[in-house]
Amino acid sequence: MAATPPLQSFSVLHSNKPSHSLLRPSSNKNRTLFSFTSNLRCEIKGFDFESHRGWTIERVSDMSKDSTNSHTNPSSPLLSVSAVTSASQFPTKNAKKVVLFYCAETKALAEKIAAETDAIELRSISWGKFPDGFPNIFIPNAQGIRGMHVAFLASFSSPAVIFEQIPVIYALPKLFIASFTLVLPFFPTGTSERMEDEGDIATAFTLARLLSNIPISRGGPTSLVTFDIHALQERFYFGDNILPCFESGIPLLKRRLQDLPDSDNISVAFPDDGAWKRFHKQLQHFPTIVCAKVREGDQRIVRIKEGDPRGRHIVIVDDLVQSGGTLIECQKVLAAHGATKISAYVTHGIFPNKSWARFGHDNGGHPESAFTYFWITDSCPLTVKDVMNRPPFEILSLASSISASLQI
């Protein structure tokens, strides 16, 4: 391996006037010397002018008290400080440049992802229809992405849009690109993962097989990024021609809970054993309550299996919500056992037929009938449009998590 060339050293003299500075080579070849008119001298070791990723002040001394010999006396430092700028402001030279395509539903999320870093370039696709209703799709400047890392941000919100996007997903890897990543924040049909009777169709397996047959790009198999898949065993539905990367929205929830004024009074409730299995390890630092459905006659009733909600702000956590019936039943039993506030988090807010309207906002004192907060991510773009700025709903964006995943 070739040796790394030494970093160029400079001396910077900065006056009290913010608009004037002088940059000139320093006689010290190993260090960069910054001198300021405020009688402070800083020695900076190893500044990389190409990456701008970080800088370290090795020594700061008062020039009015320190002799000129301190330039060469490393034993007299008065201060040692390190500072690192964010990667989103100054991408390193090693950051992977990614071209990100998107469908109509995911445009807003794609723009947020691109805003996270300069390493991601957005490109659009022309989505049209022929007179008979079938897709008429065109990728502008398709030759311009040759040799580049390419990603597509998909949304499979309905069978119709799945059929529109699959041709694009199959076409992009064949355009001589360096690699291909499919970002599918919500993997639909995930609740149809098993057969309970002969003749049942496990459509989760069908969709996994469909994605497993995406053509291989020049860089190898397609990478699939998805969040909080419904059943853990579904990862084994994918074939060898796709590399699933299973991410989670729980870190977003944990950061939001830390910002709450009553963050020290939070308990996490799981509506069933399935939710507990998925998420309890990520939320193990919170007091835990586990609910379960028990059969009483012809009815299935939610009971508290373990934990005590009395006097606590309870956050019900699950991977997805549809009609919301289970969440509401959990809310009632938790309030009946003394919870003072009840909120909810789901990664995927599906809410068919606008079932989100069932969830009212509790301004205080009514945990049995309304929610203090209801957090969802932007994995389901159509839902985001419906509930935006409607308490108790808050949107926790996956943009930063997806941006980081594209750098893997």
Side-chain angles (χ1 to χ4, degrees):
M1 180 183 295
T4 303
L7 296 174
Q8 176 66 54
S9 181
F10 292 90
S11 176
V12 177
L13 300 179
H14 186 73
S15 72
N16 289 330
K17 297 180 182 180
S19 60
H20 295 83
S21 62
L22 176 64
L23 180 67
R24 69 186 183 208
S26 170
S27 60
N28 189 332
K29 296 182 179 180
N30 297 322
R31 297 181 179 179
T32 302
L33 195 65
F34 281 68
S35 297
F36 301 87
T37 58
S38 58
N39 290 330
L40 289 178
R41 182 176 66 251
C42 305
E43 289 189 19
I44 294 185
K45 198 171 185 179
F47 186 89
D48 189 342
F49 283 95
E50 291 184 2
S51 69
H52 299 294
R53 184 173 180 83
W55 50 270
T56 301
I57 299 177
E58 183 183 86
R59 204 152 55 87
V60 178
S61 56
D62 191 335
M63 294 178 66
S64 65
K65 298 180 181 179
D66 195 12
S67 68
T68 57
N69 292 332
S70 64
H71 284 275
T72 58
N73 181 12
S75 64
S76 61
L78 299 182
L79 178 64
S80 180
V81 181
S82 293
V84 179
T85 58
S86 67
S88 61
Q89 289 178 309
F90 301 102
T92 68
K93 60 185 177 183
N94 295 323
K96 181 171 69 175
K97 298 290 186 180
V98 179
V99 174
L100 178 62
F101 291 95
Y102 54 89
C103 64
E105 289 183 11
T106 59
K107 180 179 180 180
L109 178 55
E111 291 172 345
K112 291 180 181 179
I113 295 170
E116 291 286 325
T117 172
D118 292 336
I120 296 177
E121 175 191 351
L122 282 188
R123 294 205 186 178
S124 61
I125 295 174
S126 174
W127 302 91
K129 291 184 182 294
F130 289 108
D132 59 1
F134 279 83
N136 179 13
I137 306 167
F138 179 72
I139 302 173
N141 191 23
Q143 291 185 341
I145 63 174
R146 288 182 176 180
M148 304 181 74
H149 299 286
V150 174
F152 180 73
L153 180 60
S155 175
F156 288 179
S157 59
S158 70
V161 297
I162 293 176
F163 185 75
E164 286 182 347
Q165 293 168 65
I166 286 295
V168 173
I169 293 168
Y170 274 48
L172 286 172
K174 301 171 73 173
L175 294 176
F176 293 93
I177 60 178
S179 69
F180 180 61
T181 301
L182 172 62
V183 182
L184 182 63
F186 171 52
F187 182 80
T189 74
T191 54
S192 300
E193 83 283 5
R194 61 186 182 273
M195 294 174 57
E196 295 183 352
D197 195 6
E198 188 67 32
D200 286 342
I201 304 297
T203 52
F205 180 66
T206 305
L207 183 57
R209 290 184 65 185
L210 187 65
L211 298 180
S212 298
N213 284 284
I214 297 172
I216 296 176
S217 68
R218 293 175 63 191
T222 293
S223 298
L224 169 67
V225 178
T226 192
F227 287 80
D228 292 322
I229 198 164
H230 179 68
L232 299 180
Q233 69 266 24
E234 290 178 34
R235 68 182 60 208
F236 303 111
Y237 293 176
F238 296 92
D240 294 337
N241 289 334
I242 193 166
L243 304 175
C245 178
F246 297 102
E247 301 285 3
S248 178
I250 294 298
L252 302 175
L253 171 65
K254 291 167 70 174
R255 287 196 289 270
R256 182 66 181 95
L257 294 181
Q258 291 174 355
D259 294 336
L260 296 181
D262 58 349
S263 59
D264 58 347
N265 193 42
I266 298 291
S267 292
V268 171
F270 300 107
D272 52 39
D273 288 334
W276 179 84
K277 290 177 182 178
R278 275 188 294 273
F279 299 125
H280 80 279
K281 290 184 178 179
Q282 297 185 72
L283 297 166
Q284 59 185 332
H285 300 299
F286 293 93
T288 299
I289 299 160
V290 181
C291 299
K293 289 181 180 180
V294 297
R295 185 176 297 278
E296 290 190 0
D298 295 333
Q299 294 182 332
R300 293 181 61 123
I301 299 175
V302 175
R303 301 284 192 194
I304 293 179
K305 183 178 176 180
E306 60 181 78
D308 186 1
R310 282 180 295 178
R312 308 285 292 181
H313 181 177
I314 308 300
V315 180
I316 306 171
V317 175
D318 208 349
D319 64 316
L320 60 84
V321 59
Q322 298 220 34
S323 67
T326 300
L327 289 181
I328 290 175
E329 291 301 315
C330 287
Q331 171 198 24
K332 291 178 180 178
V333 70
L334 292 167
H337 283 76
T340 55
K341 294 181 181 178
I342 298 177
S343 298
Y345 165 86
V346 296
T347 304
H348 311 297
I350 304 170
F351 293 119
N353 302 317
K354 299 189 182 296
S355 57
W356 51 263
R358 302 178 64 183
F359 296 90
H361 182 216
D362 180 17
N363 289 316
H366 301 284
E368 74 285 348
S369 60
F371 286 76
T372 304
Y373 300 99
F374 199 128
W375 294 289
I376 64 173
T377 74
D378 43 6
S379 66
C380 299
L382 299 182
T383 298
V384 171
K385 292 181 180 180
D386 287 339
V387 305
M388 183 72 71
N389 300 320
R390 289 179 179 265
F393 293 99
E394 286 188 8
I395 311 301
L396 306 179
S397 181
L398 297 172
S400 61
S401 301
I402 294 173
S403 176
S405 296
L406 292 177
Q407 290 299 314
I408 297 175

